[in-house]
Amino acid sequence: MADDEQMRDPAAAAFANLADLAGSTVDPSWLRRTTQKSHQTDQPRRRRRWSGAGPSVRDPRPVGTIFGELARTQGWAGDLQRGRVLSQWSSIVGDQLASKAQATSLVDGELEVRTESTAWATQLRSMNRVLLTRIEELVGPGVVRRIVIKGPAAPSWKHGRRSVRGRGPRDTYG
């Protein structure tokens, strides 16, 4: 059988002669190339036709699937999940709560939420576990590990470059 192949393929015959001269024990038919498939169709290269009725590489795919694969291969999946928390905050917590509290940042699994008043900050602190499970359900596990809830920022009494250190506004009221 091997002699029959060598007669049809002169390159295989020449390789077999070289292998015999070198004293190699490699079977030349074992090193034969396989037919390469085209990247456009799932068929061998020499047969370039349409892809047929079966599934093919050229079949159209949904855009969401393509972008999902791109995000996974480029390592963007985690960034997209973190962005979903901030962009979909109102759908995660509801419209009423979103009008009183805004998610401001998400760094290293720590979500910072700024509230309109201290009363809303206290209310959100008591709902911390519920918010974490809701975020985990809608966005995915491990995206948010901790929620830091901050009330409104207090006014600064330090004005100008030449302000004096001290107790602040309490010093001025006798």
Side-chain angles (χ1 to χ4, degrees), residues 78-143:
D79 294 334
L80 290 174
Q81 283 183 325
R82 286 188 289 278
R84 267 182 79 192
V85 172
L86 298 176
S87 67
Q88 296 181 352
W89 177 250
S90 61
S91 65
I92 291 171
V93 297
D95 291 332
Q96 181 185 10
L97 195 56
S99 67
K100 304 296 181 185
Q102 290 81 30
T104 55
S105 68
L106 177 58
V107 179
D108 296 330
E110 189 171 286
L111 177 66
E112 183 178 307
V113 178
R114 179 73 62 178
T115 60
E116 193 175 88
S117 67
T118 54
W120 277 105
T122 305
Q123 181 68 27
L124 278 179
R125 284 187 193 105
S126 67
M127 296 173 54
N128 199 354
R129 284 271 181 227
V130 175
L131 289 174
L132 280 173
T133 56
R134 178 87 172 138
I135 290 170
E136 191 170 298
E137 287 172 0
L138 295 177
V139 178
V143 177

Side-chain angles (χ1 to χ4, degrees), residues 51-62:
S51 60
S56 172
V57 177
R58 297 179 62 198
D59 287 345
R61 294 186 301 166

